[in-house]
Amino acid sequence: MNKKSSVSENVVLDEKTLAGFPQQPHGGKLVDRVAKGEEREKELERAKTLPQIMVDTEAAITLEMIATGVMSPNEGLMVEEDYLSTLETGRLKNGLVWPIPLSFAPTGKHNTEVVNSLSKGDDVVLIDVNQEPVAILNAEDIFSYDRDYRAQHVFGTTDRKHPGVDAIYRRMGDTALGGKITLLNRPDWGPFEPLRMEPKDAWQLFYVEKEFKTVAGFVTGANPMHRGHEYMHKNLLEEVDGLLVCPLVEMAKREFTRHEYRMLAYRGVLEQYYPKDRTILCPLRVTYVFAGPQEAILHALILKNFGCTHKIVGRDYAGVGDYYDKYASQSIFDQYAPEEIGIDIRTFHEAFFCVRCNTVATDQSCPHDESVRVGISGTSVREILRHGILPPKEIVRPESSHVAIQGVQPKGRDADGNTVLPVGKLIKSMFPFYLTHRGIGGPRRETPLNPDDLTNDDLNAAIADVRANGDLVYRQTYDTYTQSADINRSVQPAWVDETRAYMRKHQQMVVDNLEEKVAIAPEESSDEFMYQDREEAEKELAVARRVLEELSVPVDEEKTRERVWNIAPYDSYY
């Protein structure tokens, strides 16, 4: 299962080299606590003589991230002074910004016995479930670990329904160890090995091989790639040299999309719609903490350590339920001076697809109301996939959704026809028009629908409507303009003007007929059920004439001839 960290052994980035790059690691030093070559062999032998503490996969991943510099400037697990400073102030004891503590409080009978036997300064080997050594920890500090205190400060709650809080109580004991680590073996990344990069690989690629000046980073977790992600990416690609896309590849909640499928979904879209020489896909094996705004800060610093100069932050970042405001992960950056974070933060409002604009947009750029909008929500995308239906192409590229539908879990409706979210909540989030209008861009309903009354039939109807008519509003708008404005009528379908001409001819017949009727109509009708008097006949005639006036006039080449003129031959313009 374990591997020695050999991917990046030939990449050497000393302080002098790093100083010449557009970005710098957080704290000014890219940490490298990976044992290599002869040193590693000696440490492996020494590990056989040390007391052992077993760690789970999540801890082994954290050890790898620390050792390879992802968590720079941290060189190990936090001692009590750094731990408490981070919890209480969001900074290390030296004042450097760091939002979430890197702590280690082993659980289990054997682990507890080993911890209790240690003294400060002792070395201990951390082993995985297969008894293989992962890292050596120098126990510089041993201190009491208060789970309630950590939960409240990191998450703002001690509610066990919060997945991050629940993880603390499931995985953490009563005594923490802090100190520097030396990585001996790392977890196997399975299908992600070919895409795996350590920070120094990224710096080498960005600034030595590709000679980028700017790189934007994007971290994403539970959801398959959708058009909201693409909107943010491509806005930054217009400005920066490169884009680093980092899907998290550790599961955190069962109702997420399996990470193997999310990676494949990303690959499908990136290969078809992104510039290949400027877009880099790199799995990030950092467990989702669900710390909302604090996690946004953490990911910003991680991307900084990968060499990124910019970070993309959407709404409801790393959120869960209603624990955080959906824009809290953007506003938290206002608490720091830009130079303290050291990476350019680019925030985006909630995106949607506007069928009138015919593009992905936000409230900042689109003037239209919800009658022509399709919401883009990762949670709602997962729910539609769970219903066994591909989302409309306007919000998820088919290259993403056809893979993601295979990886969403759990999937399928239950015996009562339900999935994780109530169907009314799903429709309100993604298809808000359905509640108030009869179809996308259609007429307003006399009485808005109550989301609580909606069924799967309503969901199916809303999806079918967007599939059929998602591009209809803009297409018909465009067609209306072309039918009037095209001077060269050879590109117009002949039947349109022929139909218009006949409609006018036919309506003229109606007018002629009514004029004859008015001419002979009596002032008073002898039988109001069989005959009309003059006043009523004149009303009919007036309406018929207005209909004729309002009918579109067919446009032919004779009518467009007057729109064309030249005061000189074309060669006079060059």
Side-chain angles (χ1 to χ4, degrees), residues 25-29 71-74 78 82 85-86 89-100 297 301 304-305 336 339-342:
H26 192 50
K29 177 185 176 182
M71 301 294 184
S72 296
N74 296 283
M78 289 184 176
D82 272 329
S85 178
T86 301
T89 70
R91 298 174 185 272
L92 301 174
K93 62 184 179 182
N94 63 7
L96 194 67
V97 173
W98 194 267
I100 300 175
I297 299 288
L301 301 181
K304 180 182 178 182
N305 286 330
Y336 302 92
E339 59 271 17
E340 290 187 295
I341 302 297

Side-chain angles (χ1 to χ4, degrees), residues 74-142:
N74 296 283
E75 297 187 83
L77 300 159
M78 289 184 176
V79 298
E80 185 175 23
E81 194 174 0
D82 272 329
Y83 172 75
L84 291 176
S85 178
T86 301
L87 270 186
E88 295 165 359
T89 70
R91 298 174 185 272
L92 301 174
K93 62 184 179 182
N94 63 7
L96 194 67
V97 173
W98 194 267
I100 300 175
L102 301 175
S103 57
F104 178 54
T107 59
K109 181 179 179 182
H110 171 76
N111 284 350
T112 301
E113 291 174 353
V114 173
V115 170
N116 291 337
S117 72
L118 295 175
S119 299
K120 290 183 180 181
D122 287 349
D123 286 343
V124 60
V125 63
L126 308 179
I127 62 172
D128 65 17
V129 293
N130 298 315
Q131 307 295 310
E132 293 290 334
V134 177
I136 293 175
L137 167 66
N138 175 253
E140 179 184 341
D141 198 6
I142 303 172

Side-chain angles (χ1 to χ4, degrees), residues 34 132 164 253 273 294 347 350 497 558:
V34 180
E132 293 290 334
K253 293 180 69 181
Y273 301 100
Q294 300 296 335
T347 60
E350 184 172 5
D497 282 327
E558 181 177 349

